[in-house]
Structure formats: structure tokens, C-alpha cells
């Protein structure tokens, strides 16, 4: 297995989106078949030969120096996430080819992580892996994403919910934007972990079933998820506007865990909605717990 196709498609898609004018080049040079830059123009901007860049764009990236990668990233005007993705692709190409690895489902979250989540009583918090499986959550985090937790057959997964569950269209106020971010996060994870068999299976499942996913996956957009704002249309409490921040949460045996915390602006209707959601979650949890466990 190798990742030459991913490298080729990523670099080609980034080159195609930049016009000569955006790159600071003079117009001209004959009729263009596409709106984007030509390979020779990227080569000039990066300070390398056209033959060399052509080879690079065909996926032969193993052993390329960081200085050259930086030059290509500048020529293609890559943002932070895209630059990181390019370097991840290069690192993966430099490793020996190997059989895809099946990583654990991640159910063994350290107890101290769950304690930390449970201590966040005013925020909705959860831990997810790079495949966007939710591995641990506090009560409010479960309540906020309760529609996603209905399927007991496998860990709840944001990508499966957004592309395979029709309820997601109502749950996210900006469902298209949420779907774009989800696919971009998975694409970035695929660059970091090209041999993750479960990630490949997830992408294959979603690509087979969802045309929306296939279209977004083919765009090769990537994203690093730090912070932002989202609006939810929750079936219990209605519209909720929340701010979130995502932090890396490396464990002893893995480095793909991330903690996400959603909070509401104090004094807003969304803060009241979160409090109401917490009360609903407490009632729902108590109702689902056998009486012998509550003594």
C-alpha cells in the first residue's frame, strides 16, 4: 500500500484552485485548459524544476526535504491545515509499506479522563478519536448529542450520524457546514494515519452509501479542529448556540484522542437551554437506571 494517489489528488486540487493572478503571475502564456496554475508555474513559484515538481505531483514525495515542502506549500498558498496535511502525506510516504492496522475501539478510556468529564457540570464535553467515534462523554455531552446515541451496535460516530441519519438535517442549523468540517477532519486523519484499517472501512462505508460524502471526500479539503461556534436544533430544548474548543488529549498508548467542550455565553437563552437540557438528562438517566442501582 502507498499514498501516491492521495498525494497526487491533493496537490492537483490545490493547484487547480489558484489562478495566475492570485499567484502574482502575469496573464498570458496561451490558451488555458483549466483555470488554475500549470505545473510549470508552480515549479517556478517553488523554485524547482518542472520535471521535479511533476514527479512530486505524481506522488513521489518520499525523502523530499522540509525546505522543498515548505516552498511547495507557499507556492500553492496552503493554509495551516493543508500544510500540515502535506507534511503528513510526506511522512507516511517515507515509511515502509505495511498492512492496514486495526486499532482498538477505544472503550478503555482512562478513569481519570472520565472523572475530568464528569466534573464539567455546566458544559457539554466528550472525547473522540480521529475517526470521530465518541469514546467518553459527560452527562450534558450525551444529552446534547442524544440523537446520535440511539444505535447501540457500535460507538456513536459523528460522520455516520451526519451522512447516514436523516435526523442530522434538522439537528444542525448549518448542516452543510457541519458536514464539510466532518469530512475535512477525516481527510486530515487519513493523511496522518493512512494504515488505519477502521478509518479506511469507515470511509469506504460512507462513500458507498452517501453521494454527499463521496463528493466532499473527492475535494481533498482538510481541517484542524480548534474552536468555533455551532447552532443546534435540539429535539428537547430547541435552538442552542454554543461555542466549542477542541484540545489534543494524548494517552499512554495513543495520540489521536481529542477533548471537545461546548459552552454557552453567560446570560443568554442558550445558557438557559443548557441548564434545561441538564435537568432533562438527569431525569432521563434516573429513569433508565434500575432501582437497585440507585440505593
Amino acid at each position: 500500500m502507498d499514498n501516491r494517489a492521495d498525494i497526487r489528488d491533493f496537490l492537483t486540487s490545490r493547484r487547480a484552485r489558484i489562478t495566475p493572478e492570485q499567484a502574482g503571475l502575469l496573464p498570458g502564456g496561451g490558451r488555458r485548459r483549466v483555470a488554475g496554475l500549470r505545473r510549470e508555474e508552480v515549479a517556478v513559484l517553488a523554485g524547482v524544476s518542472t520535471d521535479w515538481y511533476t514527479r512530486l505531483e505524481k506522488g513521489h514525495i518520499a525523502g523530499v526535504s522540509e525546505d522543498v515542502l515548505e516552498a511547495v506549500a507557499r507556492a500553492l498558498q496552503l493554509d495551516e491545515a493543508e500544510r500540515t496535511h502535506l507534511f503528513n502525506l510526506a511522512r507516511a510516504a517515507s515509511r515502509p509499506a505495511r498492512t492496514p492496522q486495526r486499532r482498538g475501539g477505544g472503550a478503555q478510556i482512562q478513569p481519570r479522563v472520565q472523572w475530568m468529564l464528569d466534573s464539567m457540570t455546566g458544559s457539554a464535553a466528550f472525547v473522540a478519536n480521529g475517526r470521530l467515534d465518541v469514546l467518553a462523554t459527560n452527562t450534558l455531552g450525551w444529552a446534547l448529542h442524544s440523537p446520535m446515541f440511539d444505535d447501540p451496535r457500535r460507538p456513536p460516530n459523528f460522520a455516520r450520524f451526519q451522512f447516514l441519519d436523516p435526523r442530522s438535517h434538522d439537528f444542525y442549523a448549518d448542516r452543510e457546514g457541519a458536514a464539510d468540517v466532518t469530512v475535512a477532519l477525516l481527510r486530515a486523519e487519513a493523511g496522518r494515519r493512512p494504515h488505519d484499517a477502521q478509518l479506511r472501512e469507515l470511509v469506504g462505508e460512507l462513500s458507498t452509501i452517501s453521494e454527499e460524502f463521496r463528493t466532499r471526500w473527492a475535494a481533498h479539503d482538510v481541517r484542524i479542529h480548534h474552536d468555533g461556534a455551532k447552532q443546534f436544533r435540539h429535539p428537547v430544548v430547541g435552538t442552542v448556540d454554543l461555542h466549542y474548543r477542541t484540545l489534543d488529549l494524548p494517552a499512554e498508548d495513543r495520540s489521536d484522542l481529542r477533548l471537545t467542550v461546548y459552552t454557552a455565553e453567560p446570560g443568554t437563552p442558550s445558557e438557559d437551554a443548557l441548564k434545561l437540557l441538564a435537568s432533562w438528562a438527569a431525569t432521563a438517566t434516573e429513569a433508565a437506571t434500575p432501582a437497585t442501582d440507585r440505593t
Side-chain angles (χ1 to χ4, degrees):
M1 292 181 59
D2 61 53
N3 63 346
R4 281 180 292 180
D6 287 339
I7 296 166
R8 179 195 65 226
D9 293 343
F10 176 67
L11 291 176
T12 301
S13 66
R14 301 309 94 170
R15 175 167 61 86
R17 70 180 183 178
I18 302 174
T19 65
E21 291 76 15
Q22 289 171 328
L25 299 175
L26 294 176
R31 184 176 179 180
R32 291 179 174 271
R33 291 179 295 175
V34 295
L37 294 177
R38 297 169 173 148
R39 286 175 176 170
E40 57 266 28
E41 291 170 331
V42 177
V44 169
L45 292 169
V48 299
S49 71
T50 300
D51 288 343
W52 191 94
Y53 178 75
T54 299
R55 178 175 170 78
L56 176 67
E57 197 173 275
K58 289 182 177 179
H60 301 284
I61 200 173
V64 175
S65 71
E66 289 192 2
D67 288 343
V68 171
L69 291 177
E70 287 283 8
V72 170
R74 288 193 298 270
L76 294 175
Q77 301 180 14
L78 303 187
D79 61 22
E80 177 190 0
E82 292 167 333
R83 176 193 170 279
T84 299
H85 186 59
L86 177 62
F87 275 74
N88 284 335
L89 291 172
R91 278 190 286 270
S94 299
R95 301 188 193 111
R98 57 181 180 174
T99 302
Q101 303 292 310
R102 292 192 65 84
R103 296 169 59 84
Q108 290 108 12
I109 291 293
Q110 293 291 335
R112 60 180 176 271
V113 174
Q114 188 63 59
W115 301 339
M116 176 182 64
L117 291 170
D118 291 339
S119 71
M120 301 179 187
T121 56
S123 301
F126 61 87
V127 173
N129 60 20
R131 295 187 298 271
L132 305 182
D133 298 321
V134 178
L135 308 180
T137 182
N138 65 0
T139 300
L140 197 49
W142 167 82
L144 177 63
H145 297 97
S146 55
M148 193 174 64
F149 283 83
D150 287 349
D151 189 349
R153 295 173 296 174
R154 51 194 172 192
N157 178 277
F158 282 102
R160 283 195 181 98
F161 176 66
Q162 290 178 2
F163 290 100
L164 304 184
D165 193 325
R167 293 175 299 173
S168 68
H169 291 262
D170 294 325
F171 184 69
Y172 297 99
D174 181 13
R175 192 265 175 182
E176 294 296 310
D180 289 341
V181 169
T182 291
V183 177
L185 290 172
L186 287 180
R187 176 60 82 174
E189 183 69 9
R192 284 188 292 268
R193 305 178 189 279
H195 302 291
D196 186 330
Q198 288 166 290
L199 176 58
R200 294 172 66 89
E201 290 168 4
L202 174 63
V203 170
E205 174 190 357
L206 296 174
S207 297
T208 300
I209 300 173
S210 171
E211 182 179 357
E212 283 187 293
F213 181 87
R214 285 197 303 274
T215 300
R216 287 175 168 85
W217 187 253
H220 284 265
D221 292 332
V222 293
R223 176 164 176 148
I224 298 174
H225 216 170
H226 291 315
D227 52 50
K230 282 186 182 179
Q231 185 180 82
F232 301 90
R233 298 191 187 111
H234 198 276
V236 174
V237 298
T239 301
V240 188
D241 293 292
L242 299 176
H243 300 271
Y244 68 88
R245 179 169 290 275
T246 298
L247 306 170
D248 290 336
L249 192 69
E252 289 83 353
D253 60 341
R254 58 192 304 170
S255 59
D256 66 332
L257 301 183
R258 295 174 184 88
L259 166 68
T260 298
V261 181
Y262 281 92
T263 55
E265 182 179 348
T268 64
S270 292
E271 183 184 36
D272 295 335
L274 268 192
K275 292 177 180 178
L276 180 60
L277 191 59
S279 299
W280 171 80
T283 302
T285 302
E286 183 177 356
T289 303
T292 54
D293 294 341
R294 298 199 298 266
T295 59

